[in-house]
């Protein structure tokens, strides 16, 4: 191609067009064909997977229910100064009455109540009670007094401040809640001590994940080293012992640990039998952090061993021999020569195990009890039990960001293309 | 680890055998939980430990009662039926789309290759609980939550990264001159694909398919949220059983699943070796 310019006039392809053009066209076609092959899957993933994630991001800030249910009230509250310490004027109460009448007809006031209850406890019952009585109000009388008669909270400026604070279509309320804070009268403030839970849960999730990663590394490294240095035939045989748990259902492994670790389980029975533990002093190894750590270390261990092994396989054994022949002891040869070369494997395995551990749900749920659960258990709780979807989404987004940062690191260190399975 | 040389000192010998002992213990840790449930699944009594009769190897201390329960209990049979109905369809979806895309990705000039790859692999990296939450929100918006189609689509998405990874790995060693030769001999691209490329990448496709299958077959978090009672799969039934009251039938199911995993693992290993042989990449 470089010669093309030095010859007088462009080189022509068989169809008479300049070769350069012809080649560019071929390249374009090739790119197009590749993209056409990828397109169906890309669209599939975008619809079935990326859109749900985007929906979750949206839900974590969405707050349309307040302006949609109380449109007139929100507009009327614009003029009210929430720092005045006084409840708003009659105009706002009239708007509230109209909004509530429409909301009760559409049965939307209870949903609004549970939304605002996340920000100020008591609003749910306030709205339920008001919803029942709002029809019987006299339109011409003193509305503020009538509302205050139904529930004294309507005379409390704090209630109105909450409505005003969360009257926009988007809110940071869920995210603040997810980090144990809230939007108070004076801006962002920490929640009272007894309501703080999420920071603690995030910390516990991170801490337990680190413990599990370190445990996997400590017991996975020797095995990977053995497998990488044994002759191929033997190591292939032993590899099956690593791959079998990898291929076995997560629930099978979790139920195995549930059976083994019980107070009346095999391990405790054995310990009692050999006399290490008294019959009335059986160890509590399940429904606590110990259970989570043991079971998850077992479940994630193959994800540590496999990347370690694939890196260690590429370290030439002659390096260690060379180090020893130069006078290094076994330990020096390992520590100064072999270990530094296995660090990429340690990085890959650790990040992989950590990413997987941090988002685990099933195993902590089944063997973790209350002290061994992760943030993901809380997310599941908010989706299916407390129905606070916005908070679940906000917690999910925070977890997702942590995982994506680690994923990016993993991509930088290992390269996504180099992920190997088995 | 090379064999111990004859001149090794006592310390070296001790370390050598000590190291092997550590490794044996780790292997034991890996495999013991799977092995222990097999005999326990034959325990007719509702305890999850060995009865004295079992330890004495008395024949009547073992029984098939848990297996009988699995094969006759309507809940378990429904769960099995649902699993068998969902996993293969999800697998076919992810294998067909995934193989096409992997072939596209392995071409020499692909714009935005890195970004596309990152998106396609992401279902494997994003924690399941987050995928499940997102899918629950989004699928209930579009009316797929609690439907068979919704679960199949969700599982297919989760299986795709595995197909992409295994098939692109097979294509790395693929000799491009083979397709050129076929084209040169007059075969059109479709014929080239089926006659030349497909047989060579088939082992990768099959093992990718097995990964996708096992992903769907073992998956519980997403189906828990995206599915409804009508899509209760085997892992879901096990999960409820383990959370509420653990019934001995679970051990029988677990044993059956372990046997299935052994079969799948064997197939994948054989395929991997065959593929390495075919492509002239002998085990190194």
């Amino acid at each position: 191609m470089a010669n093309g310019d030095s010859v007088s006039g462009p080189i022509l392809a068989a169809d008479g067009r300049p070769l350069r053009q012809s080649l560019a066209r071929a390249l374009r076609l090739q790119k197009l064909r590749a993209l056409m092959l990828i397109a169906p899957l890309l669209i599939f993933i975008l619809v079935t997977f990326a859109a749900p994630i985007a929906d979750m991001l949206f839900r974590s800030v969405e707050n349309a229910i307040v302006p949609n249910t109380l449109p007139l009230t929100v507009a009327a509250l614009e003029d009210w100064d929430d720092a005045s310490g006084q409840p708003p004027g009659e105009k706002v109460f009239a708007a509230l009455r109209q909004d509530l009448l429409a909301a009760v007809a559409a049965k939307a006031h209870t949903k609004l109540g549970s939304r605002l209850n996340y920000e100020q406890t008591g609003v749910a019952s306030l709205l339920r009670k008001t919803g029942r009585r709002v029809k019987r109000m006299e339109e011409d009388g003193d509305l503020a007094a009538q509302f205050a008669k139904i529930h004294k909270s309507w005379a409390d400026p704090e209630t109105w401040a909450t409505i005003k604070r969360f009257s926009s279509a988007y809110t940071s309320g869920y995210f603040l809640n997810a980090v144990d804070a809230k939007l108070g009268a004076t801006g962002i403030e920490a929640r009272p001590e007894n309501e703080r839970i999420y920071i603690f849960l995030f910390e516990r999730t991170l801490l337990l994940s680190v413990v599990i990663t370190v445990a996997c590394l400590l017991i996975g490294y020797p095995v990977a080293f053995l497998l990488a240095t044994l002759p191929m035939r033997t190591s292939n045989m032993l590899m099956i012992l690593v791959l079998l748990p990898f291929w076995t259902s997560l629930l099978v492994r979790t139920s195995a640990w549930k059976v083994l670790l019980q107070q009346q389980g095999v391990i405790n029975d054995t310990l009692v039998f050999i006399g290490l533990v008294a019959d009335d002093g059986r160890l509590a190894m399940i429904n606590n952090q110990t259970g989570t750590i043991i079971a998850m270390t077992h479940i994630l261990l193959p994800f540590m061993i496999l990347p370690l092994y694939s890196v260690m396989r590429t370290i030439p054994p002659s390096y260690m021999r060379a180090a020893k022949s130069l006078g290094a002891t076994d330990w020096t040869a390992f520590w100064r020569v072999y270990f530094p070369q296995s660090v990429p494997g340690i990085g890959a395995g650790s990040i992989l195990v950590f990413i997987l551990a941090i988002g685990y749900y099933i195993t902590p749920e089944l063997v973790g009890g209350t002290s061994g659960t992760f943030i993901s258990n809380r997310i599941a709780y908010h989706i299916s039990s407390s129905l606070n979807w916005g908070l679940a989404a906000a917690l999910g987004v925070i977890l997702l960001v942590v995982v994506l940062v680690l994923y990016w690191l993993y991509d930088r260190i290992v390269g996504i293309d180099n992920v190997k399975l088995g | 680890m090379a064999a111990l040389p004859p001149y090794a000192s006592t310390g070296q010998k001790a370390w050598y055998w000590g190291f092997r002992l550590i490794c044996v213990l780790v292997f034991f840790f890996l495999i013991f939980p799977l092995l222990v449930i097999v005999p326990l699944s034959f325990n007719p009594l509702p305890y999850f430990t060995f009865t004295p009769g079992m330890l004495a190897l008395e024949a009547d201390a073992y029984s098939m009662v848990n297996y009988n329960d699995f094969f006759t209990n309507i809940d378990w049979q429904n769960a099995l039926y649902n699993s068998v109905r969902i996993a293969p369809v999800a697998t076919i979806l992810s294998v067909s789309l995934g193989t096409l895309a992997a072939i596209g990705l392995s071409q020499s000039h692909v714009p935005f290759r890195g970004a596309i790859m990152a998106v396609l692999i992401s279902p494997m990296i994003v924690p399941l609980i987050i995928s499940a939450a997102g899918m629950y929100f989004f699928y209930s918006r579009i009316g797929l939550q609690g439907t068979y189609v919704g679960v199949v689509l969700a599982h297919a998405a989760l299986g795709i990264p595995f197909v992409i990874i295994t098939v692109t790995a097979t294509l790395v060693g693929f000799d491009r001159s083979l397709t050129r030769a076929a084209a040169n001999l007059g075969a059109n691209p479709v014929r080239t694909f089926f006659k030349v490329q497909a047989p060579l990448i088939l082992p990768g496709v099959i093992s990718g398919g097995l990964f996708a299958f096992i992903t769907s077959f073992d998956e519980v978090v997403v189906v828990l949220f995206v599915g409804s009672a009508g899509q209760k799969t085997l892992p879901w039934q096990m999960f409820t059983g383990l959370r509420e009251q653990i019934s001995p039938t679970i051990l029988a199911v677990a044993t059956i699943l372990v046997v299935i995993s052994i079969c799948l693992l064997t197939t994948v290993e054989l395929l991997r070796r065959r593929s390495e042989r075919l492509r002239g990449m002998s085990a190194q």
Side-chain angles (χ1 to χ4, degrees), chain B residues 97-222:
Chain B
L97 292 175
T99 309
L100 273 187
I103 292 172
L105 280 169
S106 68
Q107 313 271 324
S108 36
H109 301 282
V110 185
F112 314 114
R113 189 169 186 283
I116 293 176
M117 199 72 177
V119 171
L120 296 184
I121 302 289
S122 58
M124 192 172 84
I125 302 293
V126 172
L128 278 173
I129 186 73
I130 292 179
S131 315
M135 284 168 172
Y136 179 71
F137 296 147
F138 185 69
Y139 286 11
S140 31
R141 251 186 234 276
I142 57 175
L144 280 177
Q145 200 272 332
T147 64
Y148 170 72
V149 178
V151 177
V152 167
L153 289 181
H155 277 184
L158 294 180
I160 275 164
F162 297 98
V163 178
I164 295 278
I165 288 173
T166 47
V167 179
T168 34
T170 331
L171 284 168
V172 164
F174 186 77
D175 186 355
R176 219 148 264 294
S177 53
L178 292 176
T179 49
R180 286 197 209 112
N184 203 12
L185 291 168
N188 61 27
V190 177
R191 195 178 158 84
T192 313
F193 174 74
F194 280 107
K195 288 285 174 187
V196 178
Q197 210 165 8
L200 281 168
I201 63 168
L202 195 61
V205 174
I206 295 180
S207 42
L210 290 176
F211 268 109
F213 180 81
I214 205 82
T215 307
S216 165
F217 197 72
D218 285 347
E219 208 289 319
V220 51
V221 186
V222 168

Side-chain angles (χ1 to χ4, degrees), chain A residues 55 229 269 298 330 365 417, chain B residues 1 12 30 49 113 141:
Chain A
D55 189 22
T229 44
D269 275 0
H298 176 252
D330 287 346
E365 179 78 22
D417 295 11
Chain B
M1 181 176 258
Q12 278 172 325
L30 272 169
T49 189
R113 189 169 186 283
R141 251 186 234 276

Side-chain angles (χ1 to χ4, degrees), chain A residues 279-298:
Chain A
D279 199 18
D280 52 355
R282 286 168 177 261
L283 304 175
M285 293 181 289
I286 203 161
N287 296 332
N288 54 24
Q289 294 188 1
T290 322
T292 305
I293 292 172
I294 295 178
M296 283 185 59
T297 303
H298 176 252

